[in-house]
Amino acid sequence: TMETSHLYAGLVLAFVTAAVGIFWRRGLLKTIKSVGRVKSSSSENTPISVNYHFTRQCNYSCGFCFHTALTSHVMSEEEAKRGLRLLKEAGMRKVNFAGGEPFLEPKFLGVLVKYCKEELQLESVSIVSNASKIQAAWFETYGSFLDILAVSVDSFDEATNEKIGRGKGKHLDGIRKAASLCKEHGVKFKINTVVNAYNHEEDMSIPINELNPCRWKVFQVLKIEGENSGDGAKRNVDDFLITSEAFDAFLTRHKDIKSLVPESNDTMKNSYLILDEHMRFLNCQNGRKDPSPSILQVGVKEALRHAGFDREKFVERKGEYDWNRNLSSNECASGANIDPNLAW
Protein backbone atom coordinates (compact mmCIF):
# COMPACT_ATOMS: atom_id res chain seq x y z
CA THR A 1 0.00 0.00 0.00
CA MET A 2 0.97 3.65 -0.21
CA GLU A 3 1.48 3.87 3.59
CA THR A 4 3.68 0.78 3.56
CA SER A 5 5.80 2.21 0.75
CA HIS A 6 6.32 5.49 2.65
CA LEU A 7 7.26 3.57 5.79
CA TYR A 8 9.77 1.46 3.87
CA ALA A 9 11.27 4.54 2.21
CA GLY A 10 11.55 6.25 5.58
CA LEU A 11 13.38 3.30 7.08
CA VAL A 12 15.79 3.20 4.14
CA LEU A 13 16.45 6.93 4.45
CA ALA A 14 17.05 6.62 8.19
CA PHE A 15 19.44 3.71 7.62
CA VAL A 16 21.39 5.60 4.94
CA THR A 17 21.56 8.73 7.11
CA ALA A 18 22.85 6.73 10.08
CA ALA A 19 25.41 4.95 7.92
CA VAL A 20 26.65 8.22 6.44
CA GLY A 21 26.94 9.63 9.97
CA ILE A 22 28.95 6.65 11.15
CA PHE A 23 31.33 6.78 8.20
CA TRP A 24 31.66 10.57 8.52
CA ARG A 25 32.52 10.28 12.19
CA ARG A 26 35.01 7.53 11.47
CA GLY A 27 36.58 9.66 8.77
CA LEU A 28 36.75 12.60 11.13
CA LEU A 29 38.31 10.36 13.77
CA LYS A 30 40.93 9.22 11.29
CA THR A 31 41.61 12.84 10.40
CA ILE A 32 41.98 13.74 14.08
CA LYS A 33 44.30 10.79 14.64
CA SER A 34 46.27 11.77 11.56
CA VAL A 35 46.62 15.34 12.84
CA GLY A 36 47.71 13.93 16.19
CA ARG A 37 50.36 11.86 14.49
CA VAL A 38 51.62 14.86 12.57
CA LYS A 39 51.78 16.88 15.78
CA SER A 40 53.66 14.09 17.51
CA SER A 41 56.04 13.79 14.59
CA SER A 42 56.68 17.53 14.53
CA SER A 43 57.46 17.46 18.25
CA GLU A 44 60.36 15.17 17.39
CA ASN A 45 62.06 18.29 16.06
CA THR A 46 61.34 20.43 19.12
CA PRO A 47 64.45 21.14 21.21
CA ILE A 48 62.67 20.84 24.56
CA SER A 49 65.87 20.55 26.62
CA VAL A 50 69.26 21.75 25.36
CA ASN A 51 72.71 21.38 26.92
CA TYR A 52 74.76 24.41 25.91
CA HIS A 53 78.49 23.74 26.38
CA PHE A 54 79.57 27.34 25.83
CA THR A 55 83.18 26.66 26.85
CA ARG A 56 85.49 23.66 26.62
CA GLN A 57 88.02 25.06 29.09
CA CYS A 58 88.28 23.40 32.50
CA ASN A 59 90.47 23.60 35.61
CA TYR A 60 90.17 19.85 36.24
CA SER A 61 91.72 16.98 34.28
CA CYS A 62 89.29 14.06 34.65
CA GLY A 63 90.75 11.14 32.77
CA PHE A 64 87.45 10.05 31.22
CA CYS A 65 86.22 13.55 30.18
CA PHE A 66 84.05 13.33 27.05
CA HIS A 67 84.00 17.09 26.28
CA THR A 68 87.60 18.22 26.37
CA ALA A 69 89.43 21.51 25.74
CA LEU A 70 89.77 21.14 21.97
CA THR A 71 89.26 24.92 21.58
CA SER A 72 89.28 28.02 23.79
CA HIS A 73 86.44 29.73 21.91
CA VAL A 74 83.67 31.48 23.84
CA MET A 75 80.95 33.25 21.88
CA SER A 76 80.05 36.89 22.49
CA GLU A 77 77.16 37.60 24.84
CA GLU A 78 75.05 39.08 22.04
CA GLU A 79 75.55 36.13 19.71
CA ALA A 80 74.85 33.67 22.52
CA LYS A 81 71.65 35.53 23.38
CA ARG A 82 70.58 35.47 19.73
CA GLY A 83 71.08 31.73 19.56
CA LEU A 84 69.23 31.14 22.83
CA ARG A 85 66.30 33.18 21.56
CA LEU A 86 66.21 31.12 18.36
CA LEU A 87 66.07 27.97 20.50
CA LYS A 88 63.28 29.42 22.64
CA GLU A 89 61.27 30.29 19.51
CA ALA A 90 61.79 26.71 18.31
CA GLY A 91 60.29 25.30 21.51
CA MET A 92 63.13 25.07 24.04
CA ARG A 93 61.76 24.94 27.61
CA LYS A 94 64.95 24.09 29.52
CA VAL A 95 68.57 25.09 29.03
CA ASN A 96 71.51 23.56 30.86
CA PHE A 97 74.80 25.48 30.84
CA ALA A 98 77.83 23.20 30.87
CA GLY A 99 81.48 23.04 29.87
CA GLY A 100 84.29 22.52 30.39
CA GLU A 101 83.73 24.37 33.64
CA PRO A 102 81.13 27.12 33.16
CA PHE A 103 82.15 29.03 36.30
CA LEU A 104 85.48 29.86 34.64
CA GLU A 105 83.34 32.49 32.86
CA PRO A 106 81.22 33.67 35.82
CA LYS A 107 79.93 36.96 34.38
CA PHE A 108 79.14 35.47 30.97
CA LEU A 109 77.37 32.58 32.70
CA GLY A 110 75.41 34.85 35.03
CA VAL A 111 74.27 37.18 32.26
CA LEU A 112 72.96 34.24 30.20
CA VAL A 113 71.27 32.59 33.18
CA LYS A 114 69.44 35.85 33.94
CA TYR A 115 68.57 36.40 30.27
CA CYS A 116 67.09 32.91 29.90
CA LYS A 117 64.94 33.21 33.01
CA GLU A 118 63.99 36.89 32.91
CA GLU A 119 63.78 37.66 29.19
CA LEU A 120 63.09 34.28 27.58
CA GLN A 121 61.09 33.06 30.60
CA LEU A 122 62.25 29.47 30.22
CA GLU A 123 60.69 26.90 32.53
CA SER A 124 64.09 25.77 33.75
CA VAL A 125 67.63 27.11 33.77
CA SER A 126 70.35 24.84 35.13
CA ILE A 127 74.13 24.57 35.39
CA VAL A 128 76.51 21.60 35.61
CA SER A 129 79.71 22.42 37.48
CA ASN A 130 82.59 20.77 39.29
CA ALA A 131 81.84 23.29 42.11
CA SER A 132 85.45 24.40 42.52
CA LYS A 133 84.91 27.96 41.25
CA ILE A 134 81.47 28.75 42.69
CA GLN A 135 81.37 31.91 44.79
CA ALA A 136 78.70 33.21 47.20
CA ALA A 137 78.77 36.60 45.42
CA TRP A 138 77.65 34.94 42.17
CA PHE A 139 74.65 33.42 43.93
CA GLU A 140 73.80 36.79 45.49
CA THR A 141 73.63 38.34 42.02
CA TYR A 142 72.25 35.53 39.86
CA GLY A 143 70.95 32.81 42.19
CA SER A 144 67.32 33.94 41.92
CA PHE A 145 67.37 33.17 38.17
CA LEU A 146 68.72 29.62 38.58
CA ASP A 147 66.48 26.56 39.00
CA ILE A 148 69.01 23.74 39.35
CA LEU A 149 72.70 23.40 40.11
CA ALA A 150 74.21 20.01 39.31
CA VAL A 151 77.65 19.19 40.70
CA SER A 152 80.01 16.40 39.73
CA VAL A 153 80.81 13.93 42.51
CA ASP A 154 82.56 10.72 41.46
CA SER A 155 83.82 9.74 44.90
CA PHE A 156 83.59 10.71 48.56
CA ASP A 157 87.23 9.76 49.00
CA GLU A 158 89.64 12.53 48.02
CA ALA A 159 92.39 10.08 47.10
CA THR A 160 90.06 8.54 44.53
CA ASN A 161 89.09 11.98 43.24
CA GLU A 162 92.76 12.78 42.67
CA LYS A 163 93.27 9.52 40.78
CA ILE A 164 90.32 10.39 38.55
CA GLY A 165 91.59 13.94 38.04
CA ARG A 166 89.01 15.82 40.10
CA GLY A 167 91.09 18.41 41.92
CA LYS A 168 93.99 18.21 44.37
CA GLY A 169 92.33 16.99 47.55
CA LYS A 170 89.77 19.76 48.13
CA HIS A 171 86.99 18.72 45.75
CA LEU A 172 84.49 17.79 48.48
CA ASP A 173 84.88 21.19 50.14
CA GLY A 174 83.45 22.74 46.98
CA ILE A 175 80.58 20.27 46.97
CA ARG A 176 79.61 21.15 50.55
CA LYS A 177 79.79 24.85 49.75
CA ALA A 178 77.64 24.45 46.64
CA ALA A 179 75.02 22.44 48.53
CA SER A 180 74.80 25.10 51.24
CA LEU A 181 74.48 27.92 48.71
CA CYS A 182 71.67 26.08 46.93
CA LYS A 183 69.82 25.65 50.21
CA GLU A 184 70.31 29.32 51.08
CA HIS A 185 69.06 30.58 47.71
CA GLY A 186 66.27 28.10 47.02
CA VAL A 187 68.04 26.39 44.12
CA LYS A 188 67.52 22.68 43.54
CA PHE A 189 70.67 20.66 44.17
CA LYS A 190 71.58 17.78 41.87
CA ILE A 191 74.53 15.38 41.75
CA ASN A 192 76.13 13.74 38.71
CA THR A 193 78.34 10.67 39.18
CA VAL A 194 80.37 8.89 36.50
CA VAL A 195 80.87 5.26 37.47
CA ASN A 196 84.31 4.10 36.35
CA ALA A 197 87.14 1.70 37.21
CA TYR A 198 88.22 3.79 40.21
CA ASN A 199 84.87 4.16 42.00
CA HIS A 200 82.57 1.34 40.88
CA GLU A 201 83.01 -0.59 44.15
CA GLU A 202 82.36 2.42 46.39
CA ASP A 203 79.22 2.65 48.54
CA MET A 204 78.01 6.25 48.42
CA SER A 205 74.69 5.69 50.16
CA ILE A 206 75.38 7.60 53.39
CA PRO A 207 76.87 10.80 51.91
CA ILE A 208 74.31 10.89 49.08
CA ASN A 209 71.47 10.64 51.59
CA GLU A 210 73.08 13.37 53.70
CA LEU A 211 73.42 15.70 50.72
CA ASN A 212 69.87 14.77 49.67
CA PRO A 213 69.96 15.80 45.99
CA CYS A 214 66.72 16.21 44.07
CA ARG A 215 68.24 13.97 41.39
CA TRP A 216 71.30 11.75 41.48
CA LYS A 217 72.30 11.06 37.89
CA VAL A 218 74.54 7.99 37.70
CA PHE A 219 76.33 7.54 34.37
CA GLN A 220 78.38 4.66 33.05
CA VAL A 221 81.71 6.05 31.81
CA LEU A 222 81.43 6.62 28.07
CA LYS A 223 83.99 6.37 25.27
CA ILE A 224 83.79 9.10 22.62
CA GLU A 225 86.19 9.09 19.69
CA GLY A 226 88.12 12.33 19.34
CA GLU A 227 87.45 13.34 22.95
CA ASN A 228 88.73 10.53 25.19
CA SER A 229 89.70 7.94 22.59
CA GLY A 230 91.55 7.75 19.28
CA ASP A 231 93.80 10.09 17.33
CA GLY A 232 93.82 13.70 18.48
CA ALA A 233 91.97 12.98 21.71
CA LYS A 234 92.93 14.92 24.83
CA ARG A 235 92.19 11.94 27.11
CA ASN A 236 92.50 8.15 27.08
CA VAL A 237 89.47 6.56 28.69
CA ASP A 238 90.62 2.95 28.41
CA ASP A 239 91.82 2.67 32.03
CA PHE A 240 88.46 4.00 33.28
CA LEU A 241 86.10 1.72 31.35
CA ILE A 242 83.91 -0.81 33.20
CA THR A 243 81.63 -3.63 32.16
CA SER A 244 77.85 -3.39 32.17
CA GLU A 245 77.86 -5.92 35.01
CA ALA A 246 80.04 -3.64 37.15
CA PHE A 247 77.73 -0.71 36.42
CA ASP A 248 74.67 -2.79 37.33
CA ALA A 249 76.35 -3.86 40.59
CA PHE A 250 76.85 -0.20 41.51
CA LEU A 251 73.18 0.51 40.81
CA THR A 252 72.07 -2.49 42.89
CA ARG A 253 74.19 -1.29 45.81
CA HIS A 254 72.34 2.04 45.74
CA LYS A 255 68.89 0.84 44.71
CA ASP A 256 67.20 2.24 47.84
CA ILE A 257 68.14 5.84 47.04
CA LYS A 258 64.96 7.34 45.61
CA SER A 259 66.63 10.15 43.68
CA LEU A 260 68.85 7.79 41.65
CA VAL A 261 68.47 8.07 37.87
CA PRO A 262 70.76 5.59 36.07
CA GLU A 263 72.15 6.09 32.57
CA SER A 264 74.02 3.30 30.84
CA ASN A 265 76.06 3.88 27.69
CA ASP A 266 73.12 2.84 25.54
CA THR A 267 70.71 5.18 27.34
CA MET A 268 73.06 8.17 27.15
CA LYS A 269 73.89 7.97 23.47
CA ASN A 270 71.74 10.25 21.32
CA SER A 271 69.39 11.13 24.20
CA TYR A 272 70.89 14.61 24.72
CA LEU A 273 70.80 17.69 22.54
CA ILE A 274 74.37 18.94 22.91
CA LEU A 275 75.16 22.43 21.62
CA ASP A 276 78.85 23.28 21.41
CA GLU A 277 80.75 26.56 21.79
CA HIS A 278 79.89 27.52 18.18
CA MET A 279 76.20 26.69 18.74
CA ARG A 280 76.39 23.52 16.65
CA PHE A 281 74.52 20.39 17.66
CA LEU A 282 76.88 17.45 18.22
CA ASN A 283 75.76 14.17 16.69
CA CYS A 284 77.07 11.16 18.65
CA GLN A 285 75.42 8.42 16.59
CA ASN A 286 78.74 7.08 15.28
CA GLY A 287 80.58 7.10 18.60
CA ARG A 288 82.09 10.54 18.01
CA LYS A 289 80.82 14.13 17.99
CA ASP A 290 79.99 15.23 14.46
CA PRO A 291 78.92 18.90 14.44
CA SER A 292 75.89 20.24 12.64
CA PRO A 293 75.91 23.66 10.98
CA SER A 294 75.54 26.43 13.57
CA ILE A 295 71.99 27.43 14.44
CA LEU A 296 73.16 31.03 13.94
CA GLN A 297 73.82 30.27 10.27
CA VAL A 298 71.08 27.84 9.23
CA GLY A 299 68.46 28.11 11.98
CA VAL A 300 67.39 25.60 14.61
CA LYS A 301 65.18 23.42 12.40
CA GLU A 302 67.88 22.75 9.82
CA ALA A 303 70.60 22.20 12.44
CA LEU A 304 68.38 19.69 14.27
CA ARG A 305 68.28 17.53 11.14
CA HIS A 306 71.96 16.78 11.78
CA ALA A 307 71.73 16.38 15.59
CA GLY A 308 71.12 12.61 15.75
CA PHE A 309 68.69 13.15 18.62
CA ASP A 310 66.60 10.16 19.76
CA ARG A 311 63.47 11.48 21.45
CA GLU A 312 62.41 8.03 22.66
CA LYS A 313 65.68 7.66 24.56
CA PHE A 314 65.22 11.15 25.98
CA VAL A 315 61.86 10.04 27.38
CA GLU A 316 63.29 6.69 28.53
CA ARG A 317 65.97 8.38 30.64
CA LYS A 318 63.33 10.69 32.22
CA GLY A 319 64.78 13.73 30.52
CA GLU A 320 61.66 15.73 31.28
CA TYR A 321 60.93 16.06 35.00
CA ASP A 322 59.99 18.55 37.72
CA TRP A 323 62.75 20.92 36.69
CA ASN A 324 61.91 24.35 38.04
CA ARG A 325 62.81 25.78 41.45
CA ASN A 326 59.36 25.28 42.97
CA LEU A 327 60.68 23.24 45.89
CA SER A 328 57.22 22.74 47.36
CA SER A 329 56.47 20.36 44.48
CA ASN A 330 59.46 18.16 45.29
CA GLU A 331 59.95 16.12 48.43
CA CYS A 332 63.69 16.78 48.60
CA ALA A 333 65.02 19.71 50.56
CA SER A 334 67.61 21.33 48.35
CA GLY A 335 71.06 20.81 49.75
CA ALA A 336 69.70 19.27 52.98
CA ASN A 337 71.44 20.26 56.22
CA ILE A 338 75.15 19.99 55.55
CA ASP A 339 77.57 19.74 58.42
CA PRO A 340 80.65 21.69 57.18
CA ASN A 341 82.89 19.46 59.30
CA LEU A 342 81.47 16.22 57.93
CA ALA A 343 84.18 13.77 56.97
CA TRP A 344 82.94 11.24 54.40
Side-chain angles (χ1 to χ4, degrees):
T1 64
M2 185 69 69
E3 291 181 358
T4 303
S5 298
H6 285 166
L7 178 62
Y8 178 75
L11 289 172
V12 170
L13 180 61
F15 176 80
V16 171
T17 301
V20 169
I22 290 170
F23 286 117
W24 184 86
R25 284 192 295 273
R26 286 181 176 174
L28 178 62
L29 184 61
K30 283 184 178 181
T31 301
I32 292 171
K33 287 181 177 179
S34 176
V35 170
R37 283 194 296 271
V38 170
K39 184 176 181 181
S40 174
S41 175
S42 65
S43 68
E44 297 285 331
N45 296 321
T46 301
I48 293 173
S49 177
V50 176
N51 294 272
Y52 178 24
H53 295 251
F54 66 81
T55 179
R56 283 180 171 268
Q57 296 299 301
C58 188
N59 59 318
Y60 276 10
S61 55
C62 302
F64 52 71
C65 182
F66 69 90
H67 200 76
T68 56
L70 298 176
T71 78
S72 59
H73 178 76
V74 177
M75 191 165 283
S76 71
E77 285 182 11
E78 291 308 308
E79 286 290 270
K81 286 179 179 179
R82 183 164 74 88
L84 290 165
R85 180 168 290 279
L86 289 174
L87 288 163
K88 161 69 176 180
E89 291 170 352
M92 179 175 70
R93 292 160 46 201
K94 178 182 185 293
V95 64
N96 179 48
F97 293 103
E101 172 47 49
F103 278 97
L104 290 177
E105 302 285 345
K107 184 178 182 295
F108 181 88
L109 174 64
V111 167
L112 294 188
V113 164
K114 181 178 180 180
Y115 175 74
C116 286
K117 201 65 183 178
E118 192 172 63
E119 297 292 327
L120 300 185
Q121 297 186 342
L122 294 184
E123 289 178 20
S124 182
V125 179
S126 66
I127 299 171
V128 174
S129 170
N130 63 33
S132 65
K133 295 293 183 180
I134 296 175
Q135 299 297 325
W138 189 95
F139 265 81
E140 292 291 339
T141 305
Y142 301 110
S144 62
F145 306 105
L146 183 65
D147 292 285
I148 304 168
L149 174 67
V151 296
S152 301
V153 184
D154 297 326
S155 177
F156 289 94
D157 177 79
E158 288 291 21
T160 301
N161 284 324
E162 289 192 65
K163 289 177 183 177
I164 290 171
R166 286 209 184 276
K168 302 295 183 182
K170 299 289 185 180
H171 179 63
L172 297 175
D173 290 346
I175 300 304
R176 296 185 189 95
K177 180 179 179 180
S180 295
L181 285 169
C182 284
K183 181 177 176 62
E184 180 182 348
H185 292 273
V187 175
K188 285 185 174 179
F189 182 70
K190 178 180 167 185
I191 292 176
N192 291 345
T193 297
V194 178
V195 183
N196 61 82
Y198 292 95
N199 68 357
H200 71 95
E201 294 183 339
E202 187 172 337
D203 188 343
M204 304 183 184
S205 301
I206 292 175
I208 290 292
N209 281 323
E210 287 170 342
L211 285 166
N212 193 25
C214 291
R215 274 164 78 88
W216 181 29
K217 294 287 286 293
V218 176
F219 306 95
Q220 180 181 357
V221 63
L222 181 66
K223 177 185 282 191
I224 295 288
E225 185 181 341
E227 297 282 359
N228 58 23
S229 177
D231 295 338
K234 294 280 187 179
R235 301 284 191 276
N236 186 348
V237 76
D238 288 347
D239 290 341
F240 293 85
L241 296 175
I242 58 171
T243 64
S244 297
E245 290 75 18
F247 182 65
D248 289 341
F250 184 91
L251 298 179
T252 300
R253 192 178 310 122
H254 298 92
K255 67 182 186 303
D256 294 328
I257 298 178
K258 294 180 180 179
S259 60
L260 190 153
V261 180
E263 291 192 19
S264 65
N265 285 174
D266 183 63
T267 303
M268 285 177 66
K269 284 182 180 178
N270 311 320
S271 69
Y272 287 86
L273 276 175
I274 302 173
L275 199 70
D276 76 357
E277 66 274 21
H278 299 285
M279 288 200 155
R280 305 174 299 185
F281 288 114
L282 298 180
N283 186 329
C284 301
Q285 285 182 323
N286 296 315
R288 58 182 185 269
K289 291 181 175 178
D290 296 319
S292 74
S294 173
I295 65 171
L296 298 175
Q297 296 173 340
V298 300
V300 175
K301 184 177 180 180
E302 174 62 23
L304 276 172
R305 291 182 57 247
H306 306 271
F309 179 61
D310 188 329
R311 185 174 177 80
E312 288 186 6
K313 284 192 173 182
F314 170 77
V315 173
E316 178 188 331
R317 69 169 177 85
K318 301 178 182 177
E320 190 172 350
Y321 59 98
D322 183 19
W323 54 29
N324 62 39
R325 61 187 283 139
N326 178 19
L327 295 176
S328 62
S329 65
N330 195 305
E331 65 180 9
C332 83
S334 180
N337 296 306
I338 308 303
D339 180 354
N341 300 312
L342 191 63
W344 289 308

